[in-house]
Short mmCIF file of all heavy atoms in Angstrom, two decimals:
data_model
loop_
_atom_site.label_atom_id
_atom_site.label_comp_id
_atom_site.label_asym_id
_atom_site.label_seq_id
_atom_site.Cartn_x
_atom_site.Cartn_y
_atom_site.Cartn_z
N GLN Q 1 117.11 109.04 111.46
CA GLN Q 1 116.73 110.18 112.28
C GLN Q 1 117.64 110.38 113.49
O GLN Q 1 118.29 109.44 113.96
CB GLN Q 1 115.28 110.03 112.74
CG GLN Q 1 115.02 108.95 113.78
CD GLN Q 1 113.54 108.79 114.06
OE1 GLN Q 1 112.73 108.69 113.17
NE2 GLN Q 1 113.18 108.76 115.35
N LYS Q 2 117.63 111.59 113.99
CA LYS Q 2 118.40 111.94 115.19
C LYS Q 2 117.51 111.99 116.44
O LYS Q 2 118.00 112.23 117.53
CB LYS Q 2 119.07 113.31 115.01
CG LYS Q 2 119.78 113.50 113.68
CD LYS Q 2 120.82 112.44 113.40
CE LYS Q 2 121.51 112.72 112.06
NZ LYS Q 2 122.30 111.56 111.60
N ALA Q 3 116.23 111.75 116.27
CA ALA Q 3 115.27 111.79 117.37
C ALA Q 3 115.17 110.42 118.03
O ALA Q 3 115.61 109.41 117.47
CB ALA Q 3 113.89 112.22 116.84
N PRO Q 4 114.57 110.34 119.23
CA PRO Q 4 114.38 109.04 119.88
C PRO Q 4 113.56 108.09 119.01
O PRO Q 4 112.74 108.51 118.18
CB PRO Q 4 113.62 109.40 121.16
CG PRO Q 4 113.92 110.83 121.41
CD PRO Q 4 114.08 111.47 120.06
N GLY Q 5 113.76 106.79 119.23
CA GLY Q 5 113.11 105.79 118.41
C GLY Q 5 111.60 105.77 118.48
O GLY Q 5 110.94 105.37 117.51
N TRP Q 6 111.04 106.20 119.59
CA TRP Q 6 109.58 106.18 119.74
C TRP Q 6 108.91 107.34 119.01
O TRP Q 6 107.68 107.37 118.89
CB TRP Q 6 109.19 106.22 121.22
CG TRP Q 6 109.76 107.37 122.00
CD1 TRP Q 6 110.87 107.35 122.78
CD2 TRP Q 6 109.24 108.71 122.08
NE1 TRP Q 6 111.09 108.59 123.34
CE2 TRP Q 6 110.09 109.44 122.94
CE3 TRP Q 6 108.13 109.35 121.53
CZ2 TRP Q 6 109.88 110.78 123.23
CZ3 TRP Q 6 107.91 110.70 121.83
CH2 TRP Q 6 108.79 111.39 122.67
N TYR Q 7 109.70 108.29 118.50
CA TYR Q 7 109.16 109.52 117.93
C TYR Q 7 109.13 109.44 116.40
O TYR Q 7 110.14 109.14 115.76
CB TYR Q 7 110.03 110.70 118.37
CG TYR Q 7 109.51 112.05 117.96
CD1 TYR Q 7 108.40 112.61 118.60
CD2 TYR Q 7 110.12 112.77 116.95
CE1 TYR Q 7 107.92 113.86 118.23
CE2 TYR Q 7 109.65 114.02 116.57
CZ TYR Q 7 108.55 114.56 117.22
OH TYR Q 7 108.08 115.79 116.86
N GLY Q 8 107.96 109.71 115.82
CA GLY Q 8 107.83 109.72 114.37
C GLY Q 8 108.35 111.00 113.77
O GLY Q 8 107.93 112.10 114.19
N THR Q 9 109.24 110.91 112.79
CA THR Q 9 109.87 112.10 112.22
C THR Q 9 109.45 112.40 110.79
O THR Q 9 109.71 113.50 110.30
CB THR Q 9 111.40 111.99 112.26
OG1 THR Q 9 111.80 110.81 111.52
CG2 THR Q 9 111.90 111.88 113.69
N HIS Q 10 108.87 111.44 110.09
CA HIS Q 10 108.36 111.74 108.76
C HIS Q 10 107.04 111.03 108.53
O HIS Q 10 106.73 110.03 109.19
CB HIS Q 10 109.37 111.45 107.64
CG HIS Q 10 109.74 110.01 107.48
ND1 HIS Q 10 108.82 108.99 107.31
CD2 HIS Q 10 110.95 109.42 107.42
CE1 HIS Q 10 109.45 107.85 107.16
NE2 HIS Q 10 110.74 108.07 107.24
N GLU Q 11 106.29 111.56 107.58
CA GLU Q 11 104.95 111.04 107.33
C GLU Q 11 104.98 110.01 106.21
O GLU Q 11 105.73 110.12 105.25
CB GLU Q 11 104.03 112.20 106.93
CG GLU Q 11 102.56 111.81 106.76
CD GLU Q 11 101.69 112.99 106.42
OE1 GLU Q 11 101.85 113.56 105.31
OE2 GLU Q 11 100.88 113.39 107.27
N ILE Q 12 104.14 108.99 106.37
CA ILE Q 12 103.91 108.04 105.29
C ILE Q 12 102.45 108.13 104.86
O ILE Q 12 101.56 108.40 105.67
CB ILE Q 12 104.25 106.59 105.68
CG1 ILE Q 12 103.40 106.11 106.87
CG2 ILE Q 12 105.72 106.46 105.99
CD1 ILE Q 12 103.53 104.63 107.17
N GLU Q 13 102.24 107.93 103.58
CA GLU Q 13 100.88 107.83 103.04
C GLU Q 13 100.57 106.37 102.81
O GLU Q 13 101.33 105.66 102.13
CB GLU Q 13 100.76 108.63 101.75
CG GLU Q 13 99.33 108.69 101.23
CD GLU Q 13 99.13 109.75 100.15
OE1 GLU Q 13 100.06 110.56 99.95
OE2 GLU Q 13 98.06 109.73 99.52
N ILE Q 14 99.45 105.91 103.36
CA ILE Q 14 99.10 104.49 103.36
C ILE Q 14 98.00 104.24 102.34
O ILE Q 14 97.01 104.98 102.28
CB ILE Q 14 98.64 104.05 104.76
CG1 ILE Q 14 99.75 104.33 105.80
CG2 ILE Q 14 98.26 102.59 104.78
CD1 ILE Q 14 99.32 104.12 107.23
N ALA Q 15 98.17 103.21 101.54
CA ALA Q 15 97.20 102.89 100.49
C ALA Q 15 95.86 102.48 101.11
O ALA Q 15 95.82 101.68 102.04
CB ALA Q 15 97.72 101.77 99.61
N PRO Q 16 94.75 103.00 100.59
CA PRO Q 16 93.43 102.61 101.09
C PRO Q 16 93.20 101.11 100.89
O PRO Q 16 93.70 100.51 99.94
CB PRO Q 16 92.46 103.42 100.23
CG PRO Q 16 93.28 104.52 99.65
CD PRO Q 16 94.68 104.00 99.50
N ASP Q 17 92.47 100.51 101.80
CA ASP Q 17 92.10 99.09 101.73
C ASP Q 17 93.29 98.14 101.84
O ASP Q 17 93.14 96.94 101.59
CB ASP Q 17 91.32 98.79 100.44
CG ASP Q 17 90.03 99.59 100.33
OD1 ASP Q 17 89.38 99.78 101.37
OD2 ASP Q 17 89.70 100.04 99.22
N SER Q 18 94.45 98.66 102.20
CA SER Q 18 95.61 97.79 102.41
C SER Q 18 95.54 97.18 103.80
O SER Q 18 94.79 97.63 104.68
CB SER Q 18 96.91 98.58 102.26
OG SER Q 18 96.99 99.59 103.26
N LEU Q 19 96.32 96.13 104.01
CA LEU Q 19 96.41 95.52 105.34
C LEU Q 19 96.90 96.54 106.36
O LEU Q 19 96.36 96.63 107.47
CB LEU Q 19 97.37 94.33 105.29
CG LEU Q 19 97.70 93.66 106.63
CD1 LEU Q 19 96.44 93.13 107.32
CD2 LEU Q 19 98.72 92.53 106.42
N LEU Q 20 97.89 97.35 105.99
CA LEU Q 20 98.41 98.35 106.92
C LEU Q 20 97.36 99.38 107.28
O LEU Q 20 97.25 99.79 108.44
CB LEU Q 20 99.65 99.02 106.32
CG LEU Q 20 100.36 100.03 107.21
CD1 LEU Q 20 100.82 99.40 108.51
CD2 LEU Q 20 101.54 100.66 106.47
N ALA Q 21 96.55 99.78 106.30
CA ALA Q 21 95.47 100.74 106.58
C ALA Q 21 94.44 100.13 107.51
O ALA Q 21 93.93 100.81 108.43
CB ALA Q 21 94.82 101.18 105.27
N ARG Q 22 94.11 98.87 107.31
CA ARG Q 22 93.12 98.22 108.18
C ARG Q 22 93.66 98.07 109.60
O ARG Q 22 92.91 98.23 110.57
CB ARG Q 22 92.74 96.85 107.61
CG ARG Q 22 91.99 96.93 106.28
CD ARG Q 22 91.33 95.61 105.93
NE ARG Q 22 92.30 94.54 105.75
CZ ARG Q 22 92.90 94.25 104.59
NH1 ARG Q 22 92.66 94.99 103.52
NH2 ARG Q 22 93.75 93.24 104.50
N LEU Q 23 94.92 97.76 109.73
CA LEU Q 23 95.50 97.56 111.06
C LEU Q 23 95.60 98.87 111.84
O LEU Q 23 95.27 98.93 113.02
CB LEU Q 23 96.88 96.92 110.95
CG LEU Q 23 96.94 95.48 110.46
CD1 LEU Q 23 98.38 95.06 110.20
CD2 LEU Q 23 96.29 94.54 111.47
N THR Q 24 96.08 99.93 111.18
CA THR Q 24 96.31 101.20 111.87
C THR Q 24 95.08 102.08 111.90
O THR Q 24 94.97 102.96 112.76
CB THR Q 24 97.46 101.98 111.21
OG1 THR Q 24 97.09 102.29 109.85
CG2 THR Q 24 98.74 101.17 111.21
N GLY Q 25 94.16 101.88 110.95
CA GLY Q 25 92.99 102.73 110.86
C GLY Q 25 93.30 104.14 110.38
O GLY Q 25 92.52 105.06 110.62
N ARG Q 26 94.41 104.31 109.67
CA ARG Q 26 94.84 105.65 109.27
C ARG Q 26 95.25 105.69 107.80
O ARG Q 26 95.89 104.75 107.30
CB ARG Q 26 96.03 106.10 110.11
CG ARG Q 26 95.70 106.20 111.59
CD ARG Q 26 96.78 106.90 112.35
NE ARG Q 26 96.39 107.09 113.75
CZ ARG Q 26 97.01 107.91 114.58
NH1 ARG Q 26 98.04 108.63 114.17
NH2 ARG Q 26 96.59 108.03 115.84
N PRO Q 27 94.95 106.80 107.11
CA PRO Q 27 95.44 106.97 105.74
C PRO Q 27 96.86 107.54 105.69
O PRO Q 27 97.55 107.42 104.68
CB PRO Q 27 94.45 107.96 105.14
CG PRO Q 27 93.99 108.77 106.30
CD PRO Q 27 93.98 107.85 107.49
N LYS Q 28 97.27 108.18 106.78
CA LYS Q 28 98.62 108.73 106.91
C LYS Q 28 99.09 108.52 108.34
O LYS Q 28 98.28 108.39 109.26
CB LYS Q 28 98.63 110.23 106.57
CG LYS Q 28 98.26 110.56 105.13
CD LYS Q 28 98.34 112.06 104.88
CE LYS Q 28 97.98 112.38 103.43
NZ LYS Q 28 98.09 113.83 103.14
N ALA Q 29 100.41 108.50 108.52
CA ALA Q 29 100.94 108.31 109.86
C ALA Q 29 102.35 108.86 109.94
O ALA Q 29 103.10 108.83 108.95
CB ALA Q 29 100.94 106.83 110.25
N MET Q 30 102.70 109.37 111.10
CA MET Q 30 104.08 109.77 111.37
C MET Q 30 104.81 108.55 111.94
O MET Q 30 104.34 107.93 112.90
CB MET Q 30 104.12 110.92 112.37
CG MET Q 30 103.53 112.22 111.85
SD MET Q 30 104.48 112.93 110.47
CE MET Q 30 106.03 113.36 111.30
N VAL Q 31 105.94 108.21 111.32
CA VAL Q 31 106.70 107.04 111.76
C VAL Q 31 108.17 107.41 111.93
O VAL Q 31 108.64 108.43 111.46
CB VAL Q 31 106.55 105.87 110.76
CG1 VAL Q 31 105.08 105.44 110.64
CG2 VAL Q 31 107.11 106.23 109.39
N ASN Q 32 108.90 106.51 112.57
CA ASN Q 32 110.34 106.71 112.77
C ASN Q 32 111.12 106.20 111.55
O ASN Q 32 110.54 105.63 110.62
CB ASN Q 32 110.80 106.04 114.06
CG ASN Q 32 110.48 104.54 114.10
OD1 ASN Q 32 110.14 103.93 113.09
ND2 ASN Q 32 110.57 103.96 115.28
#
C-alpha cells in the first residue's frame, strides 16, 4: 500500500470460530 502503516487499505474476511475471530471479535476487518 501507499497509505500510512496504521491505515487499513483492504478488507479481510475472517473464518468464524477461529482464533483470529475470537481475538478481534470481528467477522471482517480492514487491515494494512
Side-chain angles (χ1 to χ4, degrees):
Q1 71 185 49
K2 313 304 181 193
W6 55 263
Y7 185 74
T9 59
H10 65 54
E11 185 178 67
I12 60 171
E13 186 166 350
I14 302 172
D17 300 322
S18 63
L19 174 59
L20 184 59
R22 294 194 298 272
L23 291 171
T24 62
R26 298 192 175 195
K28 296 181 180 182
M30 294 295 294
V31 299
N32 57 14

